Amino acid sequence: MDFSYTVYILLIPLALFLILGLGSKKIKPAISGWLGSLGLGIAFILSYYTAFQYFTNGKVNEVYQTFVYKYTWINFTDQLHIDMGVLIDPISVMMLVVVSTISFMVHLYSRGYMKGDDGYTRFFAFLGLFSFSMFGLVLATNIFQMYIFWELVGVSSFLLIGYYYTKPSAVSAAKKAFIVTRFADLGFLLGILLLSYFTGTFDFQILNDPEGAIITQGVAQSFMGLSVITWALMLIFIGGAGKSAMFPLHIWLPDAMEGPTPVSALIHAATMVVAGVYLVARMFPLFYFTDDGFALQLVAYVGGFSSLFAAIIALTQYDIKRVLAFSTMSQIGYMMLALGVSKYEGHEGLGYMASMFHLFTHAMFKALLFLAAGSVIHAIHSNDMRDMGNLKKYMPITHVVFLIAALSISGFPGFAGFFSKDEILAAAFENNMLLYIIGVFVAGLTAFYMFRLYFNIFWGKQTKYDHAPHESPASMTIPMIFLAFMSTFAGYIHFSEYITADRMPFEAHFNVTLAIVASTVGLIGIILAYIFYKKPTNLADKMVAAFGSFYQWTYRKFYIDEIYLFVTKKIIFARMAAPMAWFDKNVVDASMIGIGNSTVKTSEKIKGIQSGKFQDYAMAFIGGAVVIAIIVFYIWTK
């Protein structure tokens, strides 16, 4: 089979970025919207064609094959080199489908949402750059190629978050996202360098070969009881944790909601933020077979804590996009947890399949939630749920699709999220009871805060609006309807038949008992939200008063942002940076300025020597000659 054509999936968005970016002043907005949508539509079709071809014809001896098309870009040694190309295997094909689907839907949706915006063409150019970067990350054949596109994803997210560059909060959010993820990416780069130095390769196939020397023999060098590979993997995971907004590198994600809502759906719900999960999944055999899974345990506990931490904060937020942002962090924590619980006796690899399954379903219902939230914001021009209420009669399509997405993320039986979440909880139950309990509790919290959002927006109080809200245009509702279909039926795909890897012990099973437990907890969360928010009551105010200071801590996001500001301003700046700045200014700069000033003063004193007047030079010449003659005569007479 030949999958070399997949390179066009990469090149089409790049061409769109160049055409729309260079012609942003000349191309009419309507044309740029259609051009961007057409280009991503072609990438969408090619991605689905690739998935169909691969999953129907890509098996040999019941094992899905890996297809690689690459060329050497930079040579370091005979073994160590950086290649550029595309890698086709089960998870890269799955991610192609996810990225192309969400990107295409966002392009279609943005035609209506961004209509009339001054930077309309520029916006579609940035979307093209992001799509190109994400496709390149997904199809990377080696870890350094992935890192290159990883940084391009960071650049494009910076441009899209700060799209409203005249708005100070948007500029601040863009800088915050860029700086936080740069610190995380430093860990990623160090991990890559450490891993490649001791293994002699960047190539995923060599690194992940379960029977290869890297895994079977490991690395002899160790530090503090762990092998060099484990340290490298933990550094690489720091990069993934930053991109996927895991605690404590999560602070950029809520502020990133300053970007246009389609950006939130594309970057911060379904594609960029799952890059960290994809990174761990791409290198899963190396994580799995190294040092009894210590690195995987780190992944599991960071994911579990992040999931719980974000779900608690989501309970108290009023900005609907921030609720969804913390929901995203929580659900990605679920995916990390699932990957981390794959290294235990019995049911090995179940968590890997569950994580990829949830990544797929989450992309559909979370993108739908953001697009539906954008539809609401587009109608009433506010992000605050306290300004909303009873919108079901004004926006029937948005109401129905939002309800479908809320049911799916809550794990309601029959919807896509029910199946993928059950697989995660089954993996945790078999392997780590503490993480299973956290997962079940988070499932209940998720159902509660999602239906708190749903009832406050579409039911709740009879709100008086300045102008009657209206349903969004077809360019916005059609993508939402498609994603609602996927949020309902994507769970019926037999994922365990597709998301496997050669010589890895992956399996999946449906546990009815655990499914009943999780569904019951989710249903309790929905019922409580119904009691609290379906109709105007004072129950929520009573609960706020009952929790007292803990509610304030939760509402203030446990003051993590303030802690970062204290550390950076009061410690790093005041104690370290300020003295260094004083030394630089008063010692280093002053020394250089002093030397310069002394040179200028000296030149002022002696510049008369070079006056340019002939008589001055003649006088100096004759005077010099006389002095020399006197000295010579004196010496001769001695």
Side-chain angles (χ1 to χ4, degrees):
M1 297 182 66
D2 183 14
F3 290 101
S4 59
Y5 65 85
T6 52
V7 71
Y8 294 111
I9 300 175
L10 268 152
L11 297 179
I12 290 171
L14 176 61
L16 288 172
F17 166 66
L18 295 174
I19 293 169
L20 296 177
L22 295 174
S24 60
K25 300 295 184 182
K26 298 179 180 179
I27 300 175
K28 293 181 179 179
I31 295 175
S32 63
W34 278 113
L35 190 61
S37 299
L38 177 63
L40 262 295
I42 295 171
F44 170 80
I45 293 169
L46 287 175
S47 297
Y48 274 72
Y49 175 73
T50 301
F52 175 77
Q53 287 288 95
Y54 184 80
F55 289 123
T56 54
N57 303 311
K59 271 187 177 181
V60 175
N61 297 325
E62 298 302 314
V63 175
Y64 283 108
Q65 300 301 294
T66 297
F67 300 87
V68 179
Y69 306 90
K70 61 184 179 182
Y71 70 94
T72 299
W73 182 42
I74 299 175
N75 259 320
F76 297 107
T77 66
D78 291 339
Q79 291 81 26
L80 189 61
H81 49 84
I82 299 176
D83 299 329
M84 284 291 172
V86 296
L87 183 153
I88 303 297
D89 72 346
I91 61 170
S92 67
V93 172
M94 181 209 72
M95 285 296 291
L96 273 183
V97 171
V98 169
V99 176
S100 64
T101 299
I102 305 306
S103 186
F104 181 45
M105 293 301 115
V106 166
H107 274 76
L108 291 177
Y109 180 93
S110 297
R111 289 183 52 254
Y113 188 88
M114 300 298 292
K115 187 176 181 179
D117 189 272
D118 292 338
Y120 190 87
T121 301
R122 173 170 56 89
F123 179 78
F124 278 91
F126 290 166
L127 288 185
L129 176 62
F130 174 81
S131 300
F132 162 70
S133 305
M134 199 66 206
F135 283 134
L137 188 156
V138 166
L139 294 172
T141 64
N142 61 82
I143 195 169
F144 209 96
Q145 181 186 344
M146 177 181 276
Y147 180 76
I148 293 169
F149 284 98
W150 187 277
E151 293 303 313
L152 280 174
V153 167
V155 170
S156 51
S157 68
F158 170 81
L159 295 172
L160 285 166
I161 294 168
Y163 174 76
Y164 296 120
Y165 57 86
T166 58
K167 187 178 177 184
S169 58
V171 174
S172 177
K175 290 192 294 184
K176 188 175 185 179
F178 195 78
I179 292 169
V180 172
T181 53
R182 289 298 71 71
F183 276 102
D185 292 350
L186 174 61
F188 188 10
L189 179 59
L190 291 175
I192 292 172
L193 297 176
L194 186 62
L195 184 65
S196 61
Y197 179 80
F198 283 97
T199 62
T201 185
F202 296 115
D203 192 86
F204 284 133
Q205 287 184 291
I206 300 173
L207 289 171
N208 289 329
D209 185 359
E211 298 177 4
I214 294 171
I215 288 178
T216 57
Q217 298 175 18
V219 177
Q221 290 88 345
S222 64
F223 177 70
M224 296 179 65
L226 297 174
S227 74
V228 171
I229 287 183
T230 299
W231 285 106
L233 290 175
M234 290 192 293
L235 286 168
I236 289 169
F237 174 63
I238 290 174
K243 196 72 80 183
S244 291
M246 294 290 93
F247 180 90
L249 299 171
H250 66 283
I251 59 169
W252 65 270
L253 185 62
D255 289 2
M257 298 301 113
E258 290 290 340
T261 301
V263 171
S264 302
L266 178 63
I267 296 181
H268 309 117
T271 53
M272 189 191 87
V273 288
V274 298
V277 179
Y278 180 72
L279 172 63
V280 176
R282 170 54 68 204
M283 304 192 69
F284 186 76
L286 204 56
F287 275 91
Y288 187 92
F289 288 110
T290 304
D291 283 330
D292 295 325
F294 182 84
L296 270 186
Q297 291 183 47
L298 176 67
V299 172
Y301 283 104
V302 169
F305 180 81
S306 298
S307 181
L308 178 61
F309 180 82
I312 291 172
I313 294 175
L315 297 171
T316 62
Q317 302 303 301
Y318 291 101
D319 185 311
I320 62 175
K321 289 175 68 177
R322 286 181 182 268
V323 173
L324 296 178
F326 281 107
S327 172
T328 298
M329 176 182 169
S330 182
Q331 295 301 304
I332 293 172
Y334 248 111
M335 299 173 207
M336 290 291 193
L337 183 157
L339 286 170
V341 295
S342 295
K343 179 66 176 181
Y344 295 92
E345 293 295 328
H347 302 285
E348 292 92 344
L350 171 59
Y352 174 92
M353 189 285 303
S355 178
M356 295 298 96
F357 193 10
H358 198 59
L359 188 157
F360 184 82
T361 60
H362 173 266
M364 304 304 163
F365 58 67
K366 184 54 65 64
L368 175 56
L369 285 167
F370 269 107
L371 295 185
S375 180
V376 171
I377 294 168
H378 187 263
I380 68 169
H381 309 294
S382 174
N383 290 23
D384 196 320
M385 69 173 72
R386 290 169 293 192
D387 297 333
M388 304 170 188
N390 200 35
L391 283 174
K392 65 183 185 301
K393 71 177 184 180
Y394 301 105
M395 309 179 72
I397 297 175
T398 302
H399 167 236
V400 172
V401 298
F402 192 100
L403 176 60
I404 290 171
L407 289 169
S408 189
I409 194 175
S410 300
F412 195 83
F415 290 86
F418 165 76
F419 297 99
S420 58
K421 187 174 288 188
D422 176 72
E423 296 285 2
I424 292 175
L425 294 176
F429 179 81
E430 298 290 350
N431 301 323
N432 189 310
M433 188 54 64
L434 173 61
L435 292 176
Y436 168 73
I437 293 170
I438 290 174
V440 171
F441 184 52
V442 169
L445 294 180
T446 302
F448 180 80
Y449 69 65
M450 282 310 309
F451 275 85
R452 169 180 176 259
L453 195 59
Y454 166 73
F455 286 124
N456 271 299
I457 294 173
F458 296 103
W459 296 80
K461 60 184 181 298
Q462 293 286 338
T463 304
K464 291 183 179 179
Y465 297 102
D466 294 335
H467 57 279
H470 57 84
E471 187 57 87
S472 297
S475 59
M476 295 169 65
T477 56
I478 290 174
M480 291 194 293
I481 292 170
F482 176 83
L483 290 171
F485 175 83
M486 296 295 288
S487 299
T488 304
F489 298 106
Y492 294 92
I493 299 172
H494 294 289
F495 235 69
S496 59
E497 295 181 9
Y498 305 114
I499 306 305
T500 58
D502 186 15
R503 292 164 290 181
M504 286 294 293
F506 296 158
E507 60 171 81
H509 70 277
F510 184 79
N511 190 312
V512 177
T513 303
L514 297 181
I516 292 173
V517 171
S519 298
T520 302
V521 171
L523 187 60
I524 291 171
I526 294 173
I527 292 171
L528 287 175
Y530 178 89
I531 294 170
F532 275 74
Y533 302 106
K534 170 66 165 52
K535 295 179 180 179
T537 66
N538 62 351
L539 290 176
D541 295 332
K542 288 182 178 179
M543 290 300 295
V544 168
F547 279 97
S549 59
F550 180 75
Y551 173 84
Q552 288 301 321
W553 276 72
T554 306
Y555 179 72
R556 298 291 299 180
K557 297 166 284 189
F558 293 98
Y559 297 95
I560 301 297
D561 286 83
E562 287 78 3
I563 292 171
Y564 272 108
L565 286 174
F566 175 80
V567 170
T568 54
K569 286 188 174 182
K570 300 296 184 181
I571 298 178
I572 295 177
F573 177 76
R575 303 291 182 182
M576 298 171 62
M580 290 179 184
W582 181 91
F583 180 83
D584 182 64
K585 181 179 180 180
N586 294 282
V587 178
V588 178
D589 287 355
S591 299
M592 296 301 102
I593 292 170
I595 293 170
N597 290 339
S598 300
T599 303
V600 171
K601 289 179 180 178
T602 303
S603 67
E604 287 286 342
K605 298 291 186 183
I606 66 174
K607 68 181 181 180
I609 296 173
Q610 296 289 335
S611 65
K613 297 178 180 179
F614 177 77
Q615 58 269 34
D616 290 342
Y617 297 153
M619 180 69 72
F621 178 77
I622 295 170
V626 170
V627 170
I628 292 172
I630 292 171
I631 293 172
V632 170
F633 179 75
Y634 175 78
I635 294 172
W636 182 70
T637 56
K638 293 285 281 187

